[in-house]
């Protein structure tokens, strides 16, 4: 959300809106500081009502690795992971039927990746429109380029004639000056200087904001005099071959830098090491020392905000600070010139390593929800810290420590498993001596591979970790290995093997030690015991779980314990208690936004409601869960120990309601947002009216029906193309036709529809 008013761009907004009405890709180009981002956001907010599926902004300045571009867009759209499918395929399938505006902001540093992504999305998603901002255009077919002009300026020959506030540059200067001096106004006494300042700065918004910020200490005449001298000195001879406006902005930033105190200049440079923003405690930790006391950081940050070098943004009860890209780049150059950059980058990495390890150690505590929020805010900085550790010789151990410390927060809790596996693969591909950190990294990747259904990869990682653990003594990692081992049995429904492995893992842990590993083992052990119907040991697991988590007010694992015990009592026939337990798990999961856990809780609540005879409610809950599975992209079939219950619930609800009413209730659930789905599950929200149900069957051609059958088998577009000996592009076309004809929005809906068209008993 913008923290300052938007002025002086009425015509530009209208022009971009016109271009978007006729073109599916519009790229706003121009140098840093010209106002591309603010213009794009203003346009997006102005047209969002024209897009039924909304508007999504992707801030690409926080993505340093081109390999993570597609993942960043998918997460921004609301998707997570999909086992066995490439992120691009997952994203195109999700957006194929949606009318959505995608804003790709600050694309230039990953321009090739963005160009490839935009081209693929526009070809596969006929209703998608993209608004990009970049210092250079993408260079793909169909792109319309709009160079963002500077703000309008008064005539140089008659700067005092007419109404100066008709010019965008003057409007902006007065608006920002008023933020500095509440009683500021444009008068006969200052209009010449204001017009001349704006003209000297070529109408560049960032330069004007920097100049206006100086009115706290200087008059307009003093600003103009100092600025004019500086620009003159820096303009002859030209410092580079850059365009004149770019040199003007550069000169203004240097001028603003020169007016800062030595302490402000020092902190400006050091803060440039952060990516995507920072908080005060980390700024003090990373930037203090060598001429800057920790106690002085807050006051200096405040001074830099006053001078428009920093922007302050409130996140709930926390203040975060950030620099605009152009100002950050200037600060980074100062760090390089002083030779401080290597030390600051290492200090930045060390600070975020400590942050991650503190969060991991504090997992079983009432601060868990706060840690989730903090690490969400620090995602870009943590990515930068991991990248530093993987590119700096001898630092891979630190990368593995961070990646394993983030297991529950990012890779499991947030569903960012694909990103985690990418980083883990890079870390594990680097040669490093056997260590506890490497063993944990192998086990973390093994667990993520198993959840993706890649059992061969999971077993290989497990064996490699165990080979290390024969030479390294680490009871926690050894117990972790048994949890991974047991997960293989659990996911493949070999419940006796699973329970034996979990018991061995629990037997290795000392009381009060490695609580997170203990909770993982207890959770999976309880699931296996519940499915086996072992009442005594399942009850012990539940009691032990609560003994650890309730006094600490822990949320994540406790929600799983409530859900697992709900499954157990459901199996024992106590359906009202099962409903109550599962609803408690949903209420806890609402606070931490664990989408995987929410999906399972809504699924199993549907099973309980179906057993109680509430078939319409069960069908609606299945639809709400299906929306979450689509977002997560993790097929239910991966979890063979639970999937039969899903199939039984679908059959029962459809038999009792009939196909058309079942479809209507299911679609009501799919139409709910995540928060509405939670509220509906808890009895706080009624389901909306059902969308029209498509007529079954005859609209599909023979080839489209073939494609639909293969989609129902869980095959990707590439696998379908191989099976049918056609191109991937042809498969994409068939899939889009199927979605359009049946009125569906996801492949999972196609799969459910195919199953329902089969003769009874075929399944």
């Amino acid at each position: 959300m913008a923290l300052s008013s938007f002025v002086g761009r009425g015509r530009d907004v209208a022009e971009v809106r016109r271009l978007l009405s006729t073109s599916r890709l519009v790229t706003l180009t121009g140098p840093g500081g010209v106002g591309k981002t603010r213009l794009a956001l203003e346009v997006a907010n102005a047209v969002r009502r024209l897009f039924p599926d909304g508007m999504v902004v992707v801030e690409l300045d926080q993505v340093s690795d081109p390999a993570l571009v597609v993942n960043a867009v998918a997460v921004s759209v609301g998707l997570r992971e999909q086992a066995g499918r490439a992120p691009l395929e997952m994203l195109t399938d999700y957006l194929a039927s949606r009318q959505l505006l995608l804003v790709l902001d600050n694309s230039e540093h990953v321009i090739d990746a963005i160009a490839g992504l935009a081209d693929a999305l526009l070809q596969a998603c006929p209703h998608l429109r993209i608004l990009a901002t970049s210092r250079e255009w993408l260079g793909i077919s169909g792109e319309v380029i709009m160079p963002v002009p500077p703000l309008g300026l008064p005539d140089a020959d008659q700067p005092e004639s007419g109404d100066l506030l008709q010019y965008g540059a003057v409007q902006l200067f007065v608006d920002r000056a008023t933020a500095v001096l509440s009683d500021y106004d444009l008068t006969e006494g200052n209009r010449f200087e204001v017009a001349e300042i704006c003209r000297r700065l070529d109408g560049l918004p960032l330069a004007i904001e920097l100049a206006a910020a100086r009115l706290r200490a200087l008059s307009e005449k003093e600003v103009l005099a100092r600025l004019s001298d500086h620009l003159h000195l820096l303009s002859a001879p030209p410092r580079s071959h850059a365009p004149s406006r770019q040199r003007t902005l550069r000169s203004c930033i240097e001028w603003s830098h020169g007016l800062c105190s030595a302490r402000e200049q020092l902190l400006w440079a050091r803060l440039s090491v952060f990516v995507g923003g920072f908080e005060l405690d980390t700024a003090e930790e990373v930037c203090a020392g060598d001429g800057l006391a920790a106690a002085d950081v807050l006051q200096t940050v405040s001074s830099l905000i006053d001078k428009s070098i920093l922007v302050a943004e409130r996140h709930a009860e926390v203040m975060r600070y950030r620099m605009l890209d152009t100002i950050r780049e200037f600060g980074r150059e100062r760090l390089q010139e002083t030779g401080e950059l290597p030390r600051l980058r290492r200090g930045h990495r060390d600070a975020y390593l400590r942050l991650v390890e503190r969060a991991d150690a504090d997992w079983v505590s009432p601060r868990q929800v706060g840690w989730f929020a903090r690490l969400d805010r620090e995602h870009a900085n943590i990515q930068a810290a991991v990248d530093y550790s993987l590119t700096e010789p001898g630092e891979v151990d630190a990368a593995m420590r961070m990646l394993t410390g983030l297991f529950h927060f990012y890779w499991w809790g947030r569903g960012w498993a694909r990103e985690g596996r990418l980083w883990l693969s890079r870390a594990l591909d680097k040669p490093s001596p056997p260590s506890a950190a490497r063993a944990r990294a192998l086990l973390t990747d093994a667990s993520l591979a198993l959840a993706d259904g890649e059992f061969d990869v999971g077993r290989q990682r497990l064996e490699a970790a165990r080979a290390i653990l024969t030479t390294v003594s680490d009871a926690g990692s050894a117990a972790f290995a048994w949890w991974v081992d047991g997960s293989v049995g659990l996911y493949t429904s070999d419940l006796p093997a699973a329970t034996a492995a979990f018991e061995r893992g629990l037997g290795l842990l000392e009381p009060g030690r490695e609580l997170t590993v203990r909770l993982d083992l207890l959770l999976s052990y309880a699931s296996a015991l519940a499915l086996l119907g072992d009442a005594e040991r399942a009850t012990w697991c539940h009691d032990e779980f609560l003994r650890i988590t309730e006094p600490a007010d822990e949320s994540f694992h406790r929600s799983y314990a409530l859900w697992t015990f709900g499954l157990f009592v459901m199996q024992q026939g106590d359906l009202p208690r099962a409903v109550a337990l599962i609803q408690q798990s949903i209420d806890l999961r609402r606070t931490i936004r664990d989408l995987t856990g929410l999906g399972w809780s809504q699924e199993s609540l549907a099973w309980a409601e179906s057993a109680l005879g509430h078939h319409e409610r069960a069908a609606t809950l299945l639809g709400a869960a299906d929306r979450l599975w689509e977002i997560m992209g993790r097929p239910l079939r991966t979890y063979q120990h639970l999937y039969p219950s899903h199939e039984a619930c679908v059959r029962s609800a459809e038999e009792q309601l009939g196909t058309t009413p079942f479809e209507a209730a299911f679609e009501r659930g799919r139409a709910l947002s995540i928060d509405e789905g939670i509220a509906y599950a808890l009895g706080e929200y009624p389901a909306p009216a059902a969308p029209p149900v498509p007529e079954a069957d005859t609209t599909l051609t023979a080839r489209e029906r073939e494609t639909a059958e293969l989609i129902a088998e869980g095959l990707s577009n590439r696998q379908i193309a191989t099976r049918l000996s056609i191109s991937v592009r042809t498969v994409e076309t068939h899939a889009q036709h199927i979605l359009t004809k049946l009125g569906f929005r996801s492949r999972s809906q196609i799969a459910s529809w195919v199953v329902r068209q089969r003769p009874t008993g075929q399944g």
Side-chain angles (χ1 to χ4, degrees):
M1 179 182 296
L3 298 180
S4 55
S5 56
F6 182 80
V7 298
R9 291 283 192 194
R11 291 181 181 177
D12 296 331
V13 169
E15 177 61 10
V16 180
R17 292 185 65 171
R18 185 190 69 77
L19 293 175
L20 271 176
S21 70
T22 58
S23 307
R24 296 181 55 216
L25 170 61
V26 177
T27 302
L28 307 182
T29 62
V34 79
K36 301 183 296 295
T37 295
R38 285 300 305 271
L39 177 58
L41 294 178
E42 192 71 15
V43 170
N45 283 316
V47 303
R48 64 190 310 160
R49 292 184 180 179
L50 303 178
F51 294 88
D53 295 299
M55 172 266 291
V56 174
V57 179
V58 188
E59 297 178 346
L60 292 161
D61 59 335
Q62 302 184 23
V63 181
S64 59
D65 190 334
L68 292 174
V69 163
V70 178
N71 188 68
V73 175
V75 169
S76 297
V77 165
L79 295 174
R80 292 300 185 262
E81 308 293 339
Q82 189 146 348
R85 300 184 70 203
L88 180 56
E89 182 182 1
M90 173 184 69
L91 186 58
T92 53
D93 283 345
Y94 182 76
L95 294 176
S97 60
R98 284 173 163 78
Q99 297 180 50
L100 182 138
L101 175 64
L102 191 61
V103 181
L104 303 176
D105 188 33
N106 289 310
S107 307
E108 56 274 349
H109 62 297
V110 285
I111 194 74
D112 291 337
I114 287 295
L117 172 62
D119 189 43
L121 290 179
L122 291 171
Q123 291 192 48
C125 310
H127 308 298
L128 177 71
R129 291 183 186 257
I130 297 176
L131 178 60
T133 74
S134 176
R135 297 183 189 182
E136 56 180 301
W137 52 301
L138 305 187
I140 63 176
S141 177
E143 178 182 22
V144 173
I145 303 157
M146 177 176 160
V148 177
L151 293 170
L153 292 166
D155 192 319
D157 298 327
Q158 297 177 313
E160 293 188 84
S161 63
D163 179 14
L164 291 183
L165 288 175
Q166 68 180 296
Y167 301 104
V170 177
Q171 288 180 42
L172 180 63
F173 185 92
V174 172
D175 182 84
R176 299 307 187 255
T178 304
V180 174
L181 303 170
S182 59
D183 60 348
Y184 187 82
D185 199 5
L186 189 66
T187 68
E188 289 300 321
N190 64 17
R191 56 188 287 121
F192 172 82
E193 286 79 11
V194 170
E196 191 65 11
I197 288 170
C198 294
R199 194 175 65 80
R200 293 289 179 92
L201 294 177
D202 287 337
L204 292 168
L206 176 56
I208 290 170
E209 293 194 19
L210 290 173
R214 288 294 170 180
L215 292 182
R216 190 184 298 274
L218 302 171
S219 70
E220 296 91 343
K221 288 185 178 181
E222 289 171 320
V223 169
L224 178 58
R226 292 170 182 245
L227 189 59
S228 298
D229 288 345
H230 195 81
L231 293 175
H232 174 72
L233 290 172
L234 292 173
S235 62
R239 294 171 56 85
S240 69
H241 297 293
S244 61
R245 289 194 181 100
Q246 193 169 330
R247 293 200 304 270
T248 297
L249 178 61
R250 170 77 180 196
S251 300
C252 185
I253 293 174
E254 290 189 0
W255 168 74
S256 189
H257 182 264
L259 293 178
C260 288
S261 68
R263 191 168 66 188
E264 291 168 344
Q265 291 177 352
L266 185 62
L267 187 58
W268 177 347
R270 291 179 179 178
L271 290 174
S272 68
V273 79
F274 290 98
V275 182
F278 59 90
E279 293 175 21
L280 184 62
D281 58 346
T282 350
E284 291 171 338
E285 189 175 356
V286 174
C287 300
D290 293 337
L292 182 65
D296 293 332
V297 172
L298 173 57
Q299 181 182 353
T300 312
V301 163
S302 299
S303 298
L304 292 174
I305 292 171
D306 291 341
K307 296 174 172 62
S308 293
I309 306 304
L310 290 178
V311 177
E313 299 171 329
R314 181 175 291 278
H315 291 253
E317 298 179 355
V318 177
M319 291 300 297
R320 282 183 69 80
Y321 310 95
R322 64 178 176 85
M323 288 181 174
L324 296 179
D325 277 354
T326 311
I327 290 175
R328 180 172 173 268
E329 289 166 4
F330 183 87
R332 183 62 71 97
E333 290 175 12
R334 303 287 78 72
L335 273 188
Q336 291 174 324
E337 290 173 0
T338 61
E340 278 201 306
L341 183 58
R343 181 181 68 81
L344 265 294
R345 289 191 67 205
R346 184 181 183 87
H348 175 275
R349 191 282 311 276
D350 290 346
Y352 283 99
L353 173 58
R354 287 190 291 268
L355 185 75
V356 168
E357 292 189 327
R358 284 204 310 274
D360 190 35
D362 204 26
W363 175 263
V364 186
S365 79
R367 293 169 293 279
Q368 185 187 83
V369 174
W371 279 118
F372 264 108
R374 177 70 189 269
L375 293 181
D376 284 350
R377 297 193 300 267
E378 300 291 7
H379 192 184
N381 278 306
I382 290 170
Q383 286 179 324
V386 173
D387 184 66
Y388 171 87
S389 301
L390 293 177
T391 54
E392 195 72 14
E395 299 294 333
V396 68
D397 191 74
M400 291 188 287
R401 286 163 58 192
M402 272 189 285
L403 294 171
T404 55
L406 292 165
F407 177 43
H408 291 90
F409 289 107
Y410 280 2
W411 321 137
W412 185 2
R414 285 293 175 260
W416 297 337
R418 186 174 299 279
E419 179 188 333
R421 294 196 66 193
L422 174 64
W423 288 120
L424 284 161
S425 174
R426 292 180 180 178
L428 292 169
D429 284 346
K430 290 184 174 295
S432 63
S435 66
R438 186 172 181 85
R440 288 266 179 147
L442 286 162
L443 292 169
T444 300
D445 193 54
S447 174
L448 297 175
L450 294 177
D452 278 349
E454 297 181 14
F455 293 101
D456 289 343
V457 175
R459 290 189 181 100
Q460 290 169 8
R461 294 299 205 198
L462 174 60
E463 290 172 7
R466 281 183 161 157
I468 292 174
L469 293 174
T470 60
T471 61
V472 175
S473 178
D474 183 354
S477 292
F480 191 179
W482 282 114
W483 178 61
V484 174
D485 197 328
S487 297
V488 176
L490 188 62
Y491 294 164
T492 57
S493 293
D494 188 350
L495 300 179
T499 56
F502 298 142
E503 287 168 0
R504 293 193 66 175
L506 288 167
L508 293 175
L509 296 175
E510 298 177 17
R513 303 291 299 274
E514 295 282 357
L515 288 182
T516 306
V517 178
R518 184 182 294 276
L519 291 174
D520 288 338
L521 282 161
L522 284 170
L523 169 64
S524 298
Y525 188 34
S527 297
L529 293 172
L531 292 166
L532 286 169
D534 190 330
E536 183 178 353
R537 287 191 292 173
T539 302
W540 174 85
C541 269
H542 183 66
D543 292 344
E544 179 70 5
F545 221 103
L546 295 183
R547 183 188 67 78
I548 297 171
T549 59
E550 279 196 332
D553 198 22
E554 189 267 356
S555 299
F556 185 87
H557 275 95
R558 189 152 51 104
S559 70
Y560 275 95
L562 290 165
W563 167 67
T564 301
F565 202 63
L567 292 179
F568 171 68
V569 299
M570 187 193 311
Q571 191 176 44
Q572 300 299 304
D574 191 348
L575 297 174
R577 189 182 179 200
V579 168
L581 286 165
I582 295 168
Q583 285 180 324
Q584 288 177 49
S585 75
I586 292 173
D587 198 31
L588 271 179
R589 284 167 168 165
R590 171 158 53 182
T591 64
I592 52 179
R593 310 297 291 180
D594 170 22
L595 298 191
T596 302
L598 283 170
W600 279 121
S601 289
Q602 289 183 344
E603 270 282 340
S604 49
L605 184 59
W607 309 341
E609 295 284 8
S610 177
L612 283 167
H614 306 153
H615 299 293
E616 184 174 351
R617 179 165 164 78
T620 305
L621 286 165
L622 287 173
D626 188 70
R627 174 177 169 85
L628 288 170
W629 296 131
E630 180 185 23
I631 291 171
M632 293 299 299
R634 186 156 285 163
L636 282 170
R637 290 184 180 84
T638 299
Y639 304 93
Q640 287 299 311
H641 59 304
L642 294 173
Y643 188 65
S645 297
H646 168 80
E647 292 180 304
C649 183
V650 171
R651 282 197 303 272
S652 176
E654 190 169 16
E655 286 170 3
Q656 295 297 320
L657 296 173
T659 300
T660 299
F662 174 84
E663 282 281 1
F666 186 88
E667 286 305 315
R668 282 199 295 273
R670 276 195 55 83
L672 297 172
S673 68
I674 293 173
D675 288 327
E676 289 169 346
I678 292 170
Y680 179 75
L682 297 177
E684 301 168 355
Y685 183 88
V693 179
E695 291 295 326
D697 107 47
T698 57
T699 57
L700 300 189
T701 66
R703 179 61 94 184
E704 286 167 356
R705 178 168 284 281
E706 247 185 321
T707 303
E709 290 281 350
L710 295 176
I711 288 174
E713 291 182 24
L715 272 62
S716 68
N717 286 349
R718 189 169 298 281
Q719 291 169 324
I720 294 172
T722 302
R723 181 80 66 89
L724 299 180
S725 300
I726 57 180
S727 70
V728 175
R729 180 64 64 204
T730 301
V731 175
E732 291 171 352
T733 301
H734 288 325
Q736 180 57 47
H737 287 169
I738 295 166
L739 289 168
T740 301
K741 287 180 177 181
L742 298 181
F744 291 157
R745 299 168 74 98
S746 72
R747 294 167 77 92
S748 58
Q749 286 180 282
I750 295 173
S752 297
W753 180 84
V754 167
V755 170
R756 289 192 290 276
Q757 304 313 306
R758 292 171 180 165
T760 303
Q762 185 173 335

